């Protein structure tokens, strides 16, 4: 970790960061600037092995930041020249989905998958790179982003149920509109512990929704296992029986 | 690592607040440790901790530091009495009450590193059916649900069990009826609950025992001591000892 102890002039430090960034390009490394509480400018730069897990990266950042990392610390990825090349491809992503679905069975927590297609004819590599950079800003530790064919990005959201994933999809839509004025189509699939599909099937579900988003009115479509047998709401019948003994007591 | 025995993890929940989870849990821990078992009590009410208050502990570190800074849980462990250890939580920290998926996983991982040293791990969970309550119940080997004869406590206990059965496939529920006027009343509440659980959810709960309404309980809370220690002869103390024996048998 490279860390500056006194807040430098923003300009100097930016040049310094760029220098390190250029150096790091020669290696397989990822740069994670760590900003302190006080200013917007990063105060440290962490050079990471990109194969590390998100949890491990967080641990490292925290451990290396000698005092504890301020709660408000900003994590922001610097733009690498080709982010898309650094993302997982379809094959590696399928493995991730597979592992995550196994975890759903164990933890019984849900998991969501978003397929985001950047709309429009002029979508080139540079634009896609910007989209990936913007998406990465909205991501949390365990989220996994992948590149899925031409203008499509896939985002795996462990632990997220339908409502949260839909909220995330809406946020992504707004973020990409604001940051890079891109319009997106999103297909979303949610997996619950009681009916875990195979990884390929799960991805196919999201893909079907994405196609709906492209051909029908509306930008976000989702598929969710039927809620009928998942509802836990206590029914009037159950209540009546729960309280029946109280009434009995009254009559006696 | 390998020769460590797996402890029994027991969650204590009620859905409704104020039913007596924390009072019961600290006393069960005291009872188990009095029988030479090594007990870890985790304050699972992560954002509104009470265990430290009820035990009059002077807490320096909490589980918040484990989640936020990766502090080893062993460093925050407090030994209350021989064999009875507490992992205290923080109070007034809403962030801790709604941990992200990653933080939850990290916390459970950290806890799993240390529980091998204990015979029993008791988790006093928060009120409500928030995520922390659900994942502590899912994590536990045995789910104890506390209820009282109060209709709201009955409904909430039932709702929690329904969630754990429907979403998490849990089957093994142990009921404790607290704040009862008589054994007969406890049995009535249990029988009725048991019938409804069987009729609607196909669940056959286990009767873990009952605790009478007893002024020794509230007095001990004010003294910040387990009632089992403050008034070992009190009816509530005898009841908890009986429940403890049942757990050990
Ligand atoms: N068996 C009992 N007899 C008398 N008072 C009790 C009994 N059980 C609990 N209480 C009282 O109820 C209050 C709430 O108990 P507490 O353990 O904090 O509940 P919870 O943890 O479920 O919110 C406490 O003041 C306690 O003294
Ligand atoms: Mg409590």
């Amino acid at each position: 970790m490279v860390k500056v102890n006194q807040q430098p002039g923003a300009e100097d430090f930016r040049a310094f960061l760029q220098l390190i960034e250029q150096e790091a390009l020669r290696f397989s490394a990822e740069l994670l600037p760590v900003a302190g509480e006080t200013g917007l400018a990063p105060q440290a730069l962490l050079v990471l092995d990109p194969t590390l897990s998100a949890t491990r990266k967080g641990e490292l950042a925290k451990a290396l930041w000698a005092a504890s990392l301020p709660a408000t610390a900003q994590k922001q990825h610097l733009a690498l020249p080709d982010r898309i090349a650094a993302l997982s491809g379809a094959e590696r992503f399928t493995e991730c989905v597979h592992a995550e679905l196994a975890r759903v069975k164990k933890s019984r927590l849900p998991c969501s998958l978003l397929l985001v297609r950047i709309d429009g004819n002029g979508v080139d590599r540079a634009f896609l790179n910007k989209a990936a950079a913007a998406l990465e800003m909205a991501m949390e530790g365990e989220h996994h982003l992948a590149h899925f064919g031409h203008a499509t990005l896939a985002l795996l959201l462990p632990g997220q149920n339908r409502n949260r994933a839909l909220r995330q999809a809406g946020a992504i839509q707004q973020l990409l509109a604001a940051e890079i004025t891109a319009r997106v189509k999103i297909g979303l699939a949610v997996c619950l512990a009681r009916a875990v599909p195979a990884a390929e099937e799960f991805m196919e579900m999201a893909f079907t929704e994405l196609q709906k988003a492209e051909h029908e009115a509306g930008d976000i479509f989702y598929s969710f296992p039927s809620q009928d047998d998942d509802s836990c709401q206590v029914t009037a019948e159950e209540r009546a029986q729960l309280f029946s003994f109280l009434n009995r007591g009254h009559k006696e | 690592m390998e020769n460590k025995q797996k402890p029994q993890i027991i969650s204590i929940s009620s859905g409704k607040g104020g039913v007596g989870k924390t009072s019961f849990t600290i006393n069960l821990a005291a009872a188990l440790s009095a029988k030479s078992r090594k007990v870890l009590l985790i304050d699972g009410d992560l954002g509104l901790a009470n265990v430290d208050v009820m035990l009059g502990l002077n807490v320096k570190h909490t589980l918040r530091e484990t989640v936020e800074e990766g502090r080893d849980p062993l460093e925050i462990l407090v030994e209350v009495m021989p064999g009875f250890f507490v992992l205290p939580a923080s109070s007034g920290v809403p962030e801790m009450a709604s941990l992200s998926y990653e933080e939850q996983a990290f916390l459970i991982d950290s806890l799993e590193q240390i529980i091998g040293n204990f015979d029993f791990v008791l988790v006093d969970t928060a009120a409500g059916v928030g995520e922390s309550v659900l994942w502590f119940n899912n994590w536990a080997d045995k789910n104890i649900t506390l209820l009282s004869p109060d209709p709201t406590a009955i409904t909430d206990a039932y709702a929690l069990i329904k969630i754990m059965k429907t979403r998490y496939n849990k089957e093994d529920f142990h009921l404790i009826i607290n704040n009862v006027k008589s054994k007969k009343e406890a049995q009535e509440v249990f029988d009725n609950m048991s019938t409804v659980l069987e009729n609607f959810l196909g669940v056959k709960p286990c009767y873990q025992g009952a605790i009478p309404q007893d002024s020794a309980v509230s007095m001990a809370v004010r003294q910040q001591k387990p009632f089992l220690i403050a008034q070992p002869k009190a009816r509530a103390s005898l009841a908890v000892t009986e429940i403890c024996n049942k757990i050990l048998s």
Side-chain angles (χ1 to χ4, degrees), chain B residues 17-23 54 178-179 211-214 217-218 221:
Chain B
V19 180
K21 292 177 292 296
T22 307
S23 329
M54 274 205 200
N178 187 21
N179 251 318
I211 305 168
Q213 197 167 62
D214 186 342
V217 177
S218 33
V221 172

PDB file of all heavy atoms in Angstrom, chain B residues 17-23 54 178-179 211-214 217-218 221, ligand 1:
ATOM      1  N   GLY B  17     -40.887  -8.747  21.641  1.00  0.00           N
ATOM      2  CA  GLY B  17     -39.900  -8.315  22.628  1.00  0.00           C
ATOM      3  C   GLY B  17     -40.472  -8.362  24.030  1.00  0.00           C
ATOM      4  O   GLY B  17     -41.696  -8.394  24.221  1.00  0.00           O
ATOM      5  N   GLY B  18     -39.607  -8.386  25.027  1.00  0.00           N
ATOM      6  CA  GLY B  18     -40.049  -8.340  26.422  1.00  0.00           C
ATOM      7  C   GLY B  18     -40.647  -9.622  26.944  1.00  0.00           C
ATOM      8  O   GLY B  18     -41.293  -9.649  27.998  1.00  0.00           O
ATOM      9  N   VAL B  19     -40.479 -10.717  26.217  1.00  0.00           N
ATOM     10  CA  VAL B  19     -41.062 -11.988  26.648  1.00  0.00           C
ATOM     11  C   VAL B  19     -40.152 -12.676  27.674  1.00  0.00           C
ATOM     12  O   VAL B  19     -40.579 -13.564  28.404  1.00  0.00           O
ATOM     13  CB  VAL B  19     -41.320 -12.905  25.418  1.00  0.00           C
ATOM     14  CG1 VAL B  19     -41.915 -14.234  25.826  1.00  0.00           C
ATOM     15  CG2 VAL B  19     -42.243 -12.220  24.438  1.00  0.00           C
ATOM     16  N   GLY B  20     -38.894 -12.263  27.720  1.00  0.00           N
ATOM     17  CA  GLY B  20     -37.979 -12.827  28.708  1.00  0.00           C
ATOM     18  C   GLY B  20     -36.791 -13.579  28.130  1.00  0.00           C
ATOM     19  O   GLY B  20     -36.127 -14.334  28.835  1.00  0.00           O
ATOM     20  N   LYS B  21     -36.506 -13.358  26.836  1.00  0.00           N
ATOM     21  CA  LYS B  21     -35.382 -14.057  26.187  1.00  0.00           C
ATOM     22  C   LYS B  21     -34.067 -13.835  26.924  1.00  0.00           C
ATOM     23  O   LYS B  21     -33.355 -14.775  27.256  1.00  0.00           O
ATOM     24  CB  LYS B  21     -35.170 -13.545  24.745  1.00  0.00           C
ATOM     25  CG  LYS B  21     -36.257 -13.882  23.772  1.00  0.00           C
ATOM     26  CD  LYS B  21     -35.971 -13.275  22.402  1.00  0.00           C
ATOM     27  CE  LYS B  21     -36.037 -11.764  22.352  1.00  0.00           C
ATOM     28  NZ  LYS B  21     -37.347 -11.181  22.621  1.00  0.00           N
ATOM     29  N   THR B  22     -33.752 -12.557  27.152  1.00  0.00           N
ATOM     30  CA  THR B  22     -32.440 -12.257  27.724  1.00  0.00           C
ATOM     31  C   THR B  22     -32.337 -12.782  29.151  1.00  0.00           C
ATOM     32  O   THR B  22     -31.339 -13.424  29.509  1.00  0.00           O
ATOM     33  CB  THR B  22     -32.164 -10.741  27.652  1.00  0.00           C
ATOM     34  OG1 THR B  22     -32.369 -10.321  26.303  1.00  0.00           O
ATOM     35  CG2 THR B  22     -30.743 -10.421  28.058  1.00  0.00           C
ATOM     36  N   SER B  23     -33.388 -12.557  29.958  1.00  0.00           N
ATOM     37  CA  SER B  23     -33.348 -13.079  31.342  1.00  0.00           C
ATOM     38  C   SER B  23     -33.177 -14.584  31.318  1.00  0.00           C
ATOM     39  O   SER B  23     -32.367 -15.143  32.059  1.00  0.00           O
ATOM     40  CB  SER B  23     -34.619 -12.767  32.115  1.00  0.00           C
ATOM     41  OG  SER B  23     -35.206 -11.589  31.711  1.00  0.00           O
ATOM     42  N   MET B  54     -27.790  -6.706  31.692  1.00  0.00           N
ATOM     43  CA  MET B  54     -28.400  -7.597  32.682  1.00  0.00           C
ATOM     44  C   MET B  54     -27.372  -8.287  33.561  1.00  0.00           C
ATOM     45  O   MET B  54     -27.693  -8.752  34.653  1.00  0.00           O
ATOM     46  CB  MET B  54     -29.253  -8.653  31.978  1.00  0.00           C
ATOM     47  CG  MET B  54     -30.647  -8.155  31.707  1.00  0.00           C
ATOM     48  SD  MET B  54     -31.777  -9.530  31.594  1.00  0.00           S
ATOM     49  CE  MET B  54     -33.091  -8.752  30.704  1.00  0.00           C
ATOM     50  N   ASN B 178     -43.085 -18.817  29.294  1.00  0.00           N
ATOM     51  CA  ASN B 178     -42.590 -17.970  30.376  1.00  0.00           C
ATOM     52  C   ASN B 178     -43.744 -17.194  30.994  1.00  0.00           C
ATOM     53  O   ASN B 178     -44.791 -17.012  30.369  1.00  0.00           O
ATOM     54  CB  ASN B 178     -41.534 -17.004  29.831  1.00  0.00           C
ATOM     55  CG  ASN B 178     -40.852 -16.209  30.939  1.00  0.00           C
ATOM     56  OD1 ASN B 178     -40.859 -16.618  32.115  1.00  0.00           O
ATOM     57  ND2 ASN B 178     -40.267 -15.085  30.582  1.00  0.00           N
ATOM     58  N   ASN B 179     -43.508 -16.727  32.225  1.00  0.00           N
ATOM     59  CA  ASN B 179     -44.473 -15.841  32.865  1.00  0.00           C
ATOM     60  C   ASN B 179     -45.819 -16.509  33.111  1.00  0.00           C
ATOM     61  O   ASN B 179     -46.858 -15.886  32.930  1.00  0.00           O
ATOM     62  CB  ASN B 179     -44.694 -14.608  31.976  1.00  0.00           C
ATOM     63  CG  ASN B 179     -44.075 -13.387  32.611  1.00  0.00           C
ATOM     64  OD1 ASN B 179     -44.189 -13.201  33.828  1.00  0.00           O
ATOM     65  ND2 ASN B 179     -43.410 -12.578  31.814  1.00  0.00           N
ATOM     66  N   ILE B 211     -41.574 -21.330  32.873  1.00  0.00           N
ATOM     67  CA  ILE B 211     -40.998 -20.520  33.952  1.00  0.00           C
ATOM     68  C   ILE B 211     -42.129 -19.690  34.557  1.00  0.00           C
ATOM     69  O   ILE B 211     -42.854 -19.000  33.829  1.00  0.00           O
ATOM     70  CB  ILE B 211     -39.901 -19.576  33.418  1.00  0.00           C
ATOM     71  CG1 ILE B 211     -38.833 -20.380  32.656  1.00  0.00           C
ATOM     72  CG2 ILE B 211     -39.259 -18.794  34.562  1.00  0.00           C
ATOM     73  CD1 ILE B 211     -37.882 -19.521  31.845  1.00  0.00           C
ATOM     74  N   PRO B 212     -42.300 -19.787  35.877  1.00  0.00           N
ATOM     75  CA  PRO B 212     -43.414 -19.046  36.488  1.00  0.00           C
ATOM     76  C   PRO B 212     -43.137 -17.544  36.536  1.00  0.00           C
ATOM     77  O   PRO B 212     -41.993 -17.108  36.494  1.00  0.00           O
ATOM     78  CB  PRO B 212     -43.470 -19.620  37.906  1.00  0.00           C
ATOM     79  CG  PRO B 212     -42.090 -20.107  38.179  1.00  0.00           C
ATOM     80  CD  PRO B 212     -41.541 -20.565  36.855  1.00  0.00           C
ATOM     81  N   GLN B 213     -44.239 -16.807  36.634  1.00  0.00           N
ATOM     82  CA  GLN B 213     -44.114 -15.376  36.875  1.00  0.00           C
ATOM     83  C   GLN B 213     -43.556 -15.248  38.295  1.00  0.00           C
ATOM     84  O   GLN B 213     -44.105 -15.815  39.224  1.00  0.00           O
ATOM     85  CB  GLN B 213     -45.508 -14.768  36.815  1.00  0.00           C
ATOM     86  CG  GLN B 213     -45.506 -13.285  36.648  1.00  0.00           C
ATOM     87  CD  GLN B 213     -46.892 -12.802  36.288  1.00  0.00           C
ATOM     88  OE1 GLN B 213     -47.829 -12.978  37.075  1.00  0.00           O
ATOM     89  NE2 GLN B 213     -47.038 -12.248  35.115  1.00  0.00           N
ATOM     90  N   ASP B 214     -42.455 -14.520  38.415  1.00  0.00           N
ATOM     91  CA  ASP B 214     -41.757 -14.541  39.699  1.00  0.00           C
ATOM     92  C   ASP B 214     -41.038 -13.210  39.882  1.00  0.00           C
ATOM     93  O   ASP B 214     -40.266 -12.787  39.013  1.00  0.00           O
ATOM     94  CB  ASP B 214     -40.736 -15.703  39.665  1.00  0.00           C
ATOM     95  CG  ASP B 214     -40.051 -15.932  40.996  1.00  0.00           C
ATOM     96  OD1 ASP B 214     -40.092 -15.010  41.839  1.00  0.00           O
ATOM     97  OD2 ASP B 214     -39.474 -17.014  41.172  1.00  0.00           O
ATOM     98  N   VAL B 217     -37.318 -12.579  39.237  1.00  0.00           N
ATOM     99  CA  VAL B 217     -36.761 -12.298  37.913  1.00  0.00           C
ATOM    100  C   VAL B 217     -36.510 -10.802  37.744  1.00  0.00           C
ATOM    101  O   VAL B 217     -35.398 -10.375  37.421  1.00  0.00           O
ATOM    102  CB  VAL B 217     -37.704 -12.816  36.791  1.00  0.00           C
ATOM    103  CG1 VAL B 217     -37.145 -12.462  35.423  1.00  0.00           C
ATOM    104  CG2 VAL B 217     -37.921 -14.308  36.929  1.00  0.00           C
ATOM    105  N   SER B 218     -37.531 -10.003  38.006  1.00  0.00           N
ATOM    106  CA  SER B 218     -37.352  -8.568  37.808  1.00  0.00           C
ATOM    107  C   SER B 218     -36.393  -7.977  38.843  1.00  0.00           C
ATOM    108  O   SER B 218     -35.661  -7.030  38.546  1.00  0.00           O
ATOM    109  CB  SER B 218     -38.698  -7.840  37.805  1.00  0.00           C
ATOM    110  OG  SER B 218     -39.590  -8.472  38.674  1.00  0.00           O
ATOM    111  N   VAL B 221     -32.963  -8.592  37.585  1.00  0.00           N
ATOM    112  CA  VAL B 221     -32.635  -7.699  36.467  1.00  0.00           C
ATOM    113  C   VAL B 221     -32.127  -6.371  37.019  1.00  0.00           C
ATOM    114  O   VAL B 221     -31.131  -5.820  36.547  1.00  0.00           O
ATOM    115  CB  VAL B 221     -33.864  -7.479  35.546  1.00  0.00           C
ATOM    116  CG1 VAL B 221     -33.569  -6.403  34.508  1.00  0.00           C
ATOM    117  CG2 VAL B 221     -34.265  -8.783  34.859  1.00  0.00           C
TER     118      VAL B 221
HETATM  119  N1  LIG C   1     -40.751 -15.190  34.567  1.00  0.00           N
HETATM  120  C1  LIG C   1     -40.772 -13.879  34.784  1.00  0.00           C
HETATM  121  N2  LIG C   1     -41.347 -13.349  35.876  1.00  0.00           N
HETATM  122  C2  LIG C   1     -41.354 -12.012  36.089  1.00  0.00           C
HETATM  123  N3  LIG C   1     -40.815 -11.120  35.245  1.00  0.00           N
HETATM  124  C3  LIG C   1     -40.224 -11.575  34.132  1.00  0.00           C
HETATM  125  C4  LIG C   1     -40.171 -12.965  33.837  1.00  0.00           C
HETATM  126  N4  LIG C   1     -39.504 -13.121  32.655  1.00  0.00           N
HETATM  127  C5  LIG C   1     -39.169 -11.884  32.252  1.00  0.00           C
HETATM  128  N5  LIG C   1     -39.600 -10.948  33.123  1.00  0.00           N
HETATM  129  C6  LIG C   1     -39.405  -9.495  33.020  1.00  0.00           C
HETATM  130  O1  LIG C   1     -39.718  -9.065  31.711  1.00  0.00           O
HETATM  131  C7  LIG C   1     -38.866  -8.035  31.311  1.00  0.00           C
HETATM  132  C8  LIG C   1     -38.330  -8.312  29.917  1.00  0.00           C
HETATM  133  O2  LIG C   1     -37.424  -9.409  29.948  1.00  0.00           O
HETATM  134  P1  LIG C   1     -36.260  -9.582  28.910  1.00  0.00           P
HETATM  135  O3  LIG C   1     -35.501 -10.758  29.322  1.00  0.00           O
HETATM  136  O4  LIG C   1     -35.510  -8.304  28.732  1.00  0.00           O
HETATM  137  O5  LIG C   1     -37.087  -9.868  27.571  1.00  0.00           O
HETATM  138  P2  LIG C   1     -36.590  -9.939  26.054  1.00  0.00           P
HETATM  139  O6  LIG C   1     -35.140 -10.233  26.072  1.00  0.00           O
HETATM  140  O7  LIG C   1     -37.419 -11.033  25.458  1.00  0.00           O
HETATM  141  O8  LIG C   1     -36.912  -8.620  25.441  1.00  0.00           O
HETATM  142  C9  LIG C   1     -37.755  -7.942  32.337  1.00  0.00           C
HETATM  143  O9  LIG C   1     -37.922  -6.768  33.088  1.00  0.00           O
HETATM  144  C10 LIG C   1     -37.947  -9.137  33.226  1.00  0.00           C
HETATM  145  O10 LIG C   1     -37.697  -8.818  34.559  1.00  0.00           O
END
